[in-house]
Amino acid sequence: MCLLGIGCLESVRGNLALTLPYVLLWTYKASSLFHLIAKLTWACRFCALCVFVSLRETTALQAALIFIVSGHCEPRSGVAIQFTSCVMDSRDLLCRSRSDFIVIDLAYAEKSLRRRRPFFAKIPTCMSQTKLTPDQIIKEAKVALTKTWERFDEIKAHNQAKVLNAFKQAGIQNSHYSWVTGYGYDDLGKDKLDELYAIYFNTEAALVRPQLVSGTHAIATAVLGNLNAGDELVTIGNPYDTLSTVFKKISQKYNINYKVISEISPENLDLELIIQSLSPKTKVAFLQRSRGYEWRDSYSLSKLQTLISTIKKFNPNIICFVDNCYGEFTQTQEPTDIGADIIAGSLIKNPGGGIVAAGAYIAGKQAYVDAAAESLTAPGIGSHGGCMFDQTRLMMQGFFMAPLIVSEALKGMSLAAYVFSKLGYETIPAFDADRNDIIQSIKLGSREALIDLCAKVQANSAVNSMFSPVPSPISGYDDEIIMASGSFIEGSSIELSCDGPLREPFIAYLQGGLSYAHTELLLAAL
């Protein structure tokens, strides 16, 4: 039995090291001469190809390797061949990823040849697999994504029915568009907007306000309202950069014990570690549904439910707080349907439908929402005070449109995942994966590639397309950040946008898209 692995060393430029459209394997007997013909095309200079061969027999030198090399091979490029006595069990998979190279069971190939069929091995995703044009890739993607998009349509239809039912149950009328000046007392529209959110999110109460300037502000408001000096705040996994700064300052200023269980991620639900990290003083356990600037997927609702159940078993009185930013309407349930006590999110993301100018929401159990409302305004005033500044109609309309807009974003991001993976980049989530937010992470590998992608996003935006984004320091972040967002609402990430920190491994976070067609136009222009 023979094993052969082919992989590439990454280019010093940080770009794709080489392109391998296919590898053709041909063998007669394990002990006889076998031929390998690999057509290789170098995409850039200073790269190397490594070939690993293992033969059951000790006469490894009897094997002949013939390479036909084409493309722009520079003198400094080379081929390294290593013979080894290592033998792999024949029960192993045909094609199994090992770091940056691939392992192929040639016994399977021999069976294919006995049936007079050629055997082709797929190339790892770290190498470009295609010479197709962007238009051809997109055409191919539409076929591959058919079932995925059907699933998105089902989610959209389900959530649209839920939203419609919430409007009907709340009894929304056009008279509720009116607003009250000054202190904002006795604003029926404001009360109905809160009720609308509470019905949809299946909670006792909700607070939807333009005075909540962002998702981060909503989270901080709810945390401050529900913690007292001496209480403990525990975050399950790392919070995103700006929120980490907020929690640290809250801890220092208000004598709150702050603990981060950084080892926890969707890929590592160490429930025993969580139990060990909680204490009798733990008042709030915070879970972040989306990924922030981490290289990981977002939490599925089933995994969030597992975490919440574990926390509640330790102490049912711990407040399980989920940051729901980017996640609303991506599934048929929300975190409050599976055990979360309180959630928060931004209205210039999913629930605003792309038309709300500013604001955020908090939804959950009555006592926790009331405490958050008093933190926002003042004790004794709570949710009763606060002018809506004629935003009630837009907030209602945006919420009604949200299932459609989120579905458009999901389709666009799945297309982006397909295109970039076809171009040889690692992506999270995969193009056909279940999605729990509207973000597509793309590992680009170099500073230049990240800046270039953001520039392309900006150039293909409806607003400010003539400008180029420039990396710069931003409060709350340790690294420079680059952001591309030619949006109608400043900072809106339900609109097509791209950003990322200028640090290794230079990951782009592409998100949103009010229409799938806009995302497709961007990808066709790459």
Side-chain angles (χ1 to χ4, degrees):
M1 184 177 106
C2 303
L3 298 180
L4 181 144
I6 296 183
C8 68
L9 299 179
E10 192 173 42
S11 161
V12 295
R13 290 183 172 183
N15 298 321
L16 294 177
L18 49 86
T19 300
L20 286 143
Y22 58 83
V23 176
L24 174 61
L25 303 179
W26 195 272
T27 182
Y28 299 102
K29 296 180 181 178
S31 60
S32 67
L33 178 70
F34 86 86
H35 301 276
L36 167 66
I37 302 177
K39 188 173 181 180
L40 311 173
T41 303
W42 265 260
C44 57
R45 297 177 295 176
F46 312 119
C47 58
L49 176 71
C50 299
V51 178
F52 304 83
V53 177
S54 170
L55 297 178
R56 187 179 297 278
E57 292 76 17
T58 57
T59 56
L61 291 178
Q62 293 177 356
L65 295 169
I66 305 171
F67 292 90
I68 300 176
V69 182
S70 66
H72 307 287
C73 183
E74 294 290 326
R76 288 180 64 179
S77 299
V79 174
I81 300 175
Q82 177 183 342
F83 291 95
T84 172
S85 59
C86 178
V87 177
M88 188 176 173
D89 194 313
S90 61
R91 290 172 296 179
D92 282 347
L93 297 175
L94 158 68
C95 202
R96 187 177 67 181
S97 174
R98 279 189 177 179
S99 301
D100 291 329
F101 64 92
I102 205 161
V103 178
I104 303 163
D105 185 350
L106 292 188
Y108 184 92
E110 290 176 337
K111 293 178 183 177
S112 297
L113 291 170
R114 283 198 291 270
R115 293 193 299 268
R116 297 185 181 279
R117 294 178 183 175
F119 172 73
F120 292 90
K122 292 182 179 180
I123 302 306
T125 55
C126 63
M127 308 175 192
S128 176
Q129 299 180 40
T130 181
K131 289 185 178 179
L132 299 176
T133 65
D135 287 338
Q136 290 172 323
I137 297 175
I138 290 171
K139 185 177 180 180
E140 181 184 277
K142 290 178 179 178
V143 176
L145 287 163
T146 300
K147 290 185 178 180
T148 301
W149 289 352
E150 287 176 355
R151 186 169 71 248
F152 294 158
D153 285 339
E154 290 171 0
I155 293 171
K156 174 184 65 178
H158 181 93
N159 289 336
Q160 193 66 69
K162 283 176 62 178
V163 170
L164 178 59
N165 178 68
F167 270 81
K168 293 165 69 175
Q169 190 174 334
I172 302 300
Q173 306 172 23
N174 54 13
S175 60
H176 295 142
Y177 302 157
S178 301
W179 57 294
V180 178
T181 57
Y183 296 123
Y185 291 138
D186 302 317
D187 186 333
L188 296 181
K190 177 172 64 178
D191 295 339
K192 283 295 180 180
L193 180 62
D194 290 346
E195 183 181 353
L196 179 65
Y197 268 67
I199 293 170
Y200 176 80
F201 286 111
N202 191 26
T203 60
E204 297 173 1
L207 184 72
V208 189
R209 295 292 184 272
Q211 288 86 5
L212 291 167
V213 301
S214 65
T216 302
H217 182 208
I219 293 167
T221 298
V223 166
L224 282 169
N226 285 282
L227 287 177
N228 296 311
D231 288 339
E232 183 174 71
L233 166 65
V234 176
T235 61
I236 312 300
N238 292 310
Y240 59 90
D241 298 55
T242 48
L243 191 61
S244 176
T245 301
V246 168
F247 284 164
K248 288 175 183 177
K249 290 190 174 183
I250 287 176
S251 172
Q252 294 167 1
K253 186 173 183 179
Y254 298 100
N255 191 29
I256 303 295
N257 185 35
Y258 174 47
K259 187 185 298 181
V260 180
I261 314 177
S262 58
E263 296 86 353
I264 304 299
S265 71
E267 295 75 31
N268 179 35
L269 300 184
D270 190 337
L271 304 183
E272 186 62 33
L273 177 61
I274 292 174
I275 294 297
Q276 293 172 2
S277 302
L278 300 175
S279 74
K281 289 187 176 182
T282 304
K283 180 73 175 294
V284 173
F286 180 82
L287 304 99
Q288 181 180 300
R289 185 176 182 182
S290 192
R291 71 203 65 196
Y293 277 157
E294 289 190 282
W295 180 247
R296 67 165 177 86
D297 204 352
S298 297
Y299 280 99
S300 65
L301 290 177
S302 61
K303 290 185 177 181
L304 282 177
Q305 187 173 28
T306 298
L307 293 172
I308 291 170
S309 297
T310 301
I311 294 165
K312 291 293 187 180
K313 284 179 182 178
F314 177 83
N315 182 355
N317 295 319
I318 293 176
I319 301 170
C320 289
F321 189 165
V322 176
D323 171 10
N324 205 29
C325 285
Y326 302 101
E328 301 92 347
F329 305 101
T330 59
Q331 297 292 326
T332 56
Q333 290 184 303
E334 298 292 340
T336 42
D337 292 316
I338 50 92
D341 295 308
I342 189 168
I343 59 174
S346 169
L347 299 190
I348 62 171
K349 296 182 175 68
N350 302 20
I355 63 173
V356 176
Y361 75 91
I362 299 166
K365 293 184 177 179
Q366 187 77 56
Y368 305 147
V369 174
D370 288 347
E374 292 196 342
S375 175
L376 175 64
T377 55
I381 295 178
S383 62
H384 303 291
C387 178
M388 292 300 289
F389 300 102
D390 200 21
Q391 292 297 301
T392 305
R393 180 188 65 81
L394 284 175
M395 289 181 176
M396 289 181 175
Q397 186 176 355
F399 196 67
F400 184 80
M401 294 170 57
L404 168 64
I405 300 302
V406 170
S407 182
E408 291 289 287
L410 292 177
K411 289 181 179 179
M413 292 304 99
S414 62
L415 179 67
Y418 188 95
V419 170
F420 278 99
S421 63
K422 202 72 175 178
L423 294 174
Y425 296 98
E426 291 184 68
T427 62
I428 295 180
F431 69 89
D432 57 350
D434 201 31
R435 289 180 178 263
N436 293 282
D437 65 14
I438 58 167
I439 301 172
Q440 183 60 53
S441 302
I442 308 156
K443 187 182 290 185
L444 296 174
S446 75
R447 176 186 177 94
E448 293 74 17
L450 177 55
I451 294 173
D452 183 60
L453 177 57
C454 288
K456 285 182 168 65
V457 172
Q458 191 70 43
N460 287 277
S461 297
V463 181
N464 293 333
S465 61
M466 68 291 297
F467 299 118
S468 294
V470 176
S472 62
I474 295 181
S475 179
Y477 294 91
D478 295 330
D479 303 279
E480 285 186 317
I481 305 294
I482 185 165
M483 295 186 175
S485 178
S487 56
F488 294 94
I489 306 297
E490 185 177 348
S492 170
S493 46
I494 187 61
E495 300 183 55
L496 186 59
S497 53
C498 186
D499 57 271
L502 274 296
R503 65 184 180 218
E504 294 284 355
F506 299 101
I507 300 167
Y509 297 88
L510 187 68
Q511 63 241 334
L514 297 180
S515 75
Y516 160 82
H518 183 197
T519 305
E520 182 179 322
L521 288 170
L522 165 67
L523 296 170
L526 292 177

